[in-house]
């Protein structure tokens, strides 16, 4: 199978170079179903519009839709128009005007998060754990009787259980470290689903898995399972995941590579850390302060990803330039993935300094507190 796939891919190169992209679209952009795959279509709540005014709206989208909108001839040449990228950055950085509605969450003199006033008010019922103080400005801290990280983790966890799914939906029983900055001492660990409600910094690893054939780069793209609690059915990186308590970035990435794409450690240990992107998003009581550590992995031409954990429906290998078109023209990608891929486009020379607002776009990839 691998040998045949490689032959097909190389056949595409000649077709693509001879401008027979429609042939490529039909025959080469092969979809590889993941294990435990779901075949139902995803309901898409939003419509997408490129900077050129072309709209792409649908109640659901398929790989065929992705391929169609990715084609160079789908719209007038917009490769130098960066507005579509700015739109995706805006989606990830909503609500800055609402920051005044949040109060700092302080532990041992360090700001570790932000809580909405109304959410903080609810926590007053749990005085044995949380203390609301108006001394030197309103803020929330933990009861001084909770002296160790273990005590704090247990006490806060009990409160989250009491609040229940109605207040904090999607409990995952996965702990995130609570710290003032990356690598700083950990004050306690917090349920992942609660992280945005406490406004803590959450870290993740995102990997662009690519293949290079005859000087052209292609990205492996995943389509999320329909049963995922967040962004079901949307497009995603080949590998991505949050950084839980007690595991280093590189080790976590290799674990995710195995689970999400069946990439053995003999290959994934070649992933290269290439920096980070960050964003700040306020939505209701949720204050997301995310930092995504980015990796690149050049994969063998004959590698075919296979999902192992049921979180990915299928994969597709797509030319980088076509992926860029999908980001600019649609909202098919999980929002933060657009930032990581845009960073890839910068680093690999697909976004050039001749484009208007080049530096503005580059800076905006780290609009959040990247620390």
């Amino acid at each position: 199978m691998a040998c045949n796939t490689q032959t097909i891919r190389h056949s595409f190169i000649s077709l693509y170079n001879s401008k027979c992209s429609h042939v490529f679209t039909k025959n080469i952009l092969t979809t590889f179903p993941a294990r435990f795959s779901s075949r139902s279509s995803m309901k898409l709540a939003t419509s997408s519009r490129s900077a050129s005014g072309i709209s792409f709206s649908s109640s659901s989208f398929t790989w065929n839709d992705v391929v169609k909108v990715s084609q160079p001839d789908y719209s007038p040449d917009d490769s130098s128009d960066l507005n579509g990228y700015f739109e995706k950055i805006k989606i990830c950085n909503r609500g800055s005007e609402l920051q005044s509605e949040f109060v700092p969450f302080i532990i041992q003199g360090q700001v570790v998060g932000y809580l909405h006033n109304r959410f903080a008010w609810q926590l007053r019922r749990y005085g044995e754990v949380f203390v609301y103080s108006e001394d030197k400005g309103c803020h929330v801290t933990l009861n001084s009787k909770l002296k160790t990280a273990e005590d704090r983790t247990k006490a806060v966890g009990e409160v989250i259980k009491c609040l229940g799914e109605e207040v904090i939906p999607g409990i995952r029983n996965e702990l995130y470290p609570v710290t003032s900055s990356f690598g700083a001492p950990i004050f306690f660990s917090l349920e992942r689903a609660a992280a945005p409600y406490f406004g803590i910094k959450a870290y993740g690893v995102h990997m662009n898995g690519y293949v290079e054939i005859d000087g052209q780069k292609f990205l492996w793209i995943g389509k999320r399972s329909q049963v995922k609690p967040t962004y079901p059915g949307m497009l995603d990186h080949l590998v991505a995941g949050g950084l839980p308590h007690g595991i280093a970035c590189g080790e976590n990435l290799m674990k995710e590579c195995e689970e999400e794409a069946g990439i053995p450690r003999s290959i994934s240990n070649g992933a290269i850390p290439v920096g980070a992107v960050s964003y700040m998003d306020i939505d209701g009581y949720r204050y997301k302060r995310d930092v995504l550590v980015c990796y690149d992995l050049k994969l063998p031409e004959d590698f075919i990803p296979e999902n192992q954990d049921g979180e990915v429906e299928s994969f597709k290998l797509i030319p980088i330039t076509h992926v860029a078109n999908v980001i600019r023209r649609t909202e098919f990608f999980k929002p933060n993935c657009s930032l990581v891929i845009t960073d890839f486009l910068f680093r690999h020379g697909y976004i050039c300094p001749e484009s208007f607002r080049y530096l503005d776009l580059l800076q905006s990839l780290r609009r959040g507190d990247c620390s």
Side-chain angles (χ1 to χ4, degrees), residues 67-81:
V67 170
K68 177 181 178 181
V69 78
S70 75
Q71 297 305 302
D73 57 0
Y74 181 80
S75 70
D77 181 31
D78 56 358
S79 59
S80 64
D81 187 344

Side-chain angles (χ1 to χ4, degrees), residues 238-254:
L238 178 60
V239 172
L243 185 64
H245 173 66
I247 185 170
C249 286
E251 179 63 26
N252 189 48
L253 182 73
M254 288 191 288

Side-chain angles (χ1 to χ4, degrees), residues 19-278:
K19 300 182 181 181
C20 294
S21 60
H22 64 284
V23 178
F24 166 72
T25 300
K26 178 179 288 188
N27 297 309
I28 309 302
L29 283 181
T30 306
T31 302
F32 294 91
R35 296 176 184 175
F36 315 104
S37 63
S38 169
R39 300 300 181 187
S40 59
S41 61
M42 179 195 123
K43 297 298 181 182
L44 186 66
T46 59
S47 63
S48 306
R49 182 177 296 274
S50 73
S52 62
I54 296 173
S55 62
F56 196 92
S57 177
S58 177
S59 60
S60 64
F61 76 87
T62 65
W63 280 119
N64 286 337
D65 297 322
V66 174
V67 170
K68 177 181 178 181
V69 78
S70 75
Q71 297 305 302
D73 57 0
Y74 181 80
S75 70
D77 181 31
D78 56 358
S79 59
S80 64
D81 187 344
L82 305 184
N83 285 333
Y85 300 116
F86 279 109
E87 290 172 4
K88 304 312 176 294
I89 289 168
K90 184 178 180 180
I91 291 171
C92 289
N93 291 276
R94 300 169 299 174
S96 59
E97 72 279 4
L98 303 175
Q99 286 179 284
S100 61
E101 298 180 7
F102 291 76
V103 298
F105 181 28
I106 298 176
I107 301 177
Q108 295 181 358
Q110 300 289 318
V111 176
V112 299
Y114 294 91
L115 298 94
H116 193 275
N117 274 312
R118 293 180 181 177
F119 182 67
W121 186 263
Q122 292 187 49
L123 297 181
R124 288 191 177 198
R125 294 181 292 165
Y126 307 96
E128 70 281 7
V129 179
F130 295 99
V131 177
Y132 188 96
S133 175
E134 297 182 0
D135 182 34
K136 297 180 181 180
C138 296
H139 66 273
V140 175
T141 187
L142 293 179
N143 194 308
S144 59
K145 294 181 180 179
L146 302 172
K147 298 186 180 299
T148 69
E150 291 77 13
D151 290 343
R152 296 167 186 155
T153 298
K154 181 178 180 181
V156 174
E158 290 298 325
V159 171
I160 292 172
K161 287 180 182 178
C162 291
L163 292 173
E165 287 279 334
E166 291 185 1
V167 177
I168 301 177
I171 299 297
R172 303 188 186 190
N173 296 313
E174 181 179 340
L175 296 177
Y176 271 12
V178 177
T179 179
S180 59
S181 60
F182 191 66
I186 298 172
F187 295 109
F188 71 99
S189 297
L190 178 69
E191 158 61 40
R192 176 177 180 176
Y197 293 90
F198 286 82
I200 71 166
K201 284 186 177 176
Y203 300 90
V205 291
H206 279 231
M207 190 189 81
N208 286 301
Y210 70 99
V211 174
E212 189 167 359
I213 306 173
D214 294 346
Q216 297 187 56
K217 291 187 176 75
F218 301 75
L219 270 184
W220 276 109
I221 300 299
K223 197 169 189 296
R224 293 163 69 87
S225 167
Q226 306 293 342
V227 298
K228 285 281 287 183
T230 57
Y231 305 103
M234 296 191 76
L235 302 184
D236 207 335
H237 294 298
L238 178 60
V239 172
L243 185 64
H245 173 66
I247 185 170
C249 286
E251 179 63 26
N252 189 48
L253 182 73
M254 288 191 288
K255 176 181 72 69
E256 294 288 349
C257 279
E258 288 180 326
E259 294 175 356
E260 295 194 351
I263 304 174
R265 289 179 175 242
S266 59
I267 295 177
S268 64
N269 63 14
I272 300 173
V274 291
V277 300
S278 62

